[in-house]
Amino acid sequence: MDEREYLMNFDDIPEIPDYIEEKFRDVLSAYKTYMSRAHVKEEDLQEGLDLIEKAFLFAYKAHRNQKRKNGEVYIVHPIATAEILAELEVDAESLAAALLHDTVEDTAADTEMITEIFGSTMTNLVEGVTKLNQLSSITKEEVQASNVRKMLVAMTKDIRVILIKLADRLHNMRTLKYKKPQRQIGRAS
């Protein structure tokens, strides 16, 4: 079975370490709590939970052989991004996209797979976050210009892309201590 077939096969799920499963279950629990508080219909709640779980399984499989600079398995980062968004009580698509946000850029997954499994809205969210990653090459002077705000809005048709990217950056900032001092300064400025 090639990588594409493996990622698309939801019957073939590797064993997930307990601590990863627990972190993910915290995201699901938070989602369930705030959606129940909002009196969302049970079938809509379950649909959201199913989407988030499917995104987690896909992302876990896609990132299964990757580690972060601090030695953690990579999936910890997408889960932490989703945790930040769950604190903001976002919708299921936002949480799912947070879990998937690095799959197209950093793994064998591609937008065609995301569309096939999750639909075009999810692909637009994931691609939007990837496009925002490309803005890191802009100079400080350009960032300070008011045109950047207009460019951000023009680049994304969905404000959730910006929320996901901000949560992604926040988690990256929280883990700066694992980078070399020169990289810390570059990232923080």
Side-chain angles (χ1 to χ4, degrees), residues 149-157:
R149 181 174 31 88
K150 292 175 190 168
M151 182 176 58
L152 283 173
V153 173
M155 282 181 64
T156 178
K157 297 174 185 147

Side-chain angles (χ1 to χ4, degrees), residues 135-146:
L135 289 180
S136 62
S137 63
I138 293 175
T139 67
K140 285 184 184 183
E141 293 78 24
E142 291 169 323
V143 168
Q144 292 170 351
S146 64

Side-chain angles (χ1 to χ4, degrees), residues 37-185:
R37 205 173 42 239
H39 305 292
V40 171
K41 289 188 248 173
E42 187 61 37
E43 59 268 14
D44 292 340
L45 174 62
Q46 191 57 54
E47 187 178 307
L49 291 168
D50 291 346
L51 173 66
I52 297 164
E53 179 127 24
K54 194 172 198 176
F56 167 70
L57 293 173
F58 184 88
Y60 181 79
K61 289 170 68 171
H63 291 297
R64 72 191 179 283
N65 297 322
Q66 294 176 308
K67 294 214 183 283
R68 290 182 48 94
K69 295 265 191 245
N70 63 5
E72 286 182 320
V73 292
Y74 194 87
I75 194 65
V76 169
H77 170 65
I79 293 170
T81 302
E83 285 176 318
I84 291 165
L85 290 170
E87 290 174 18
L88 300 175
E89 301 186 2
V90 299
D91 66 318
E93 287 179 332
S94 297
L95 293 176
L99 293 165
L100 297 169
H101 81 273
D102 281 334
T103 57
V104 171
E105 192 172 31
D106 297 338
T107 75
D110 59 32
T111 56
E112 184 181 296
M113 294 168 73
I114 301 295
T115 302
E116 188 174 329
I117 297 169
F118 300 101
S120 60
T121 297
M122 195 64 57
T123 302
N124 291 337
L125 291 172
V126 172
E127 276 189 314
V129 174
T130 301
K131 286 178 185 174
L132 286 179
N133 286 342
Q134 297 164 358
L135 289 180
S136 62
S137 63
I138 293 175
T139 67
K140 285 184 184 183
E141 293 78 24
E142 291 169 323
V143 168
Q144 292 170 351
S146 64
N147 287 340
V148 171
R149 181 174 31 88
K150 292 175 190 168
M151 182 176 58
L152 283 173
V153 173
M155 282 181 64
T156 178
K157 297 174 185 147
D158 193 328
I159 193 71
R160 295 177 295 180
V161 169
I162 295 172
L163 290 175
I164 295 163
K165 185 60 190 171
L166 289 172
D168 171 46
R169 294 299 287 229
L170 177 57
H171 182 253
N172 285 335
M173 295 300 278
R174 288 177 176 170
T175 59
L176 272 180
K177 64 185 171 193
Y178 298 105
K179 297 213 179 263
K180 293 177 181 171
Q182 199 59 30
R183 297 280 318 256
Q184 290 177 7
I185 293 166

